[in-house]
Amino acid sequence: MTAGHTPNPLNPRQPAALTRQLSPRDRIRLTTTRLPRTILTVTHVQPPTDAQPARLVLTAPPVTTTAQQSGPQRTYYDCIAAAASSTMTVIESTYTPASTTTRPVGSLTTIVRLPDCSTTPASDDRPAMEAAGNE
């Protein structure tokens, strides 16, 4: 991998720094004390203030199963720091057309920004694909 494509590990014990290093639409891989490696997208970043703690809102891709005829399932992860130098607590919320389920999934143990999956503009070195008019 080249320098701009290497996953970037971030310090989960510095919530204020995390909110400065991540932006909406960034793709990340996280692990919590009760959740295996999961790839998610950052949807909201809230730096800490005197009135509110640091907060990240992450989302998983929607899931549709044959049992859910009425619509897809969406899962969000709310990461909140109790103090400036504490690990973020992660709450998972799953929404379906019929119900909402919320459960704690532990403390944030690792977080890695995945630059190749993020939507930050990058140069596209691939040649353009063209098809002949008679194909």
Side-chain angles (χ1 to χ4, degrees):
M1 290 188 157
T2 59
H5 302 283
T6 305
N8 181 18
L10 305 171
N11 187 341
R13 294 197 180 278
Q14 295 179 339
L18 281 176
T19 60
R20 287 191 306 272
Q21 295 168 321
L22 294 171
S23 302
R25 298 182 12 209
D26 279 348
R27 296 293 300 235
I28 56 124
R29 181 183 69 220
L30 70 74
T31 307
T32 73
T33 50
R34 290 188 244 163
L35 188 68
R37 287 183 180 178
T38 305
I39 295 179
L40 304 167
T41 301
V42 176
T43 56
H44 178 73
V45 177
Q46 175 182 301
T49 65
D50 290 338
Q52 297 178 330
R55 181 174 177 224
L56 294 172
V57 178
L58 314 167
T59 187
V63 176
T64 302
T65 66
T66 55
Q68 296 171 320
Q69 298 299 324
S70 59
Q73 166 182 304
R74 298 209 50 92
T75 303
Y76 294 89
Y77 295 87
D78 204 357
C79 307
I80 302 172
S85 62
S86 67
T87 303
M88 296 180 115
T89 299
V90 183
I91 307 294
E92 176 186 76
S93 298
T94 303
Y95 300 92
T96 67
S99 68
T100 300
T101 306
T102 301
R103 69 183 181 119
V105 291
S107 298
L108 186 62
T109 55
T110 64
I111 185 165
V112 176
R113 183 174 181 275
L114 305 170
D116 284 344
C117 297
S118 294
T119 57
T120 305
S123 66
D124 190 357
D125 297 333
R126 295 175 291 178
M129 298 292 290
E130 293 182 15
N134 62 356
E135 289 184 20

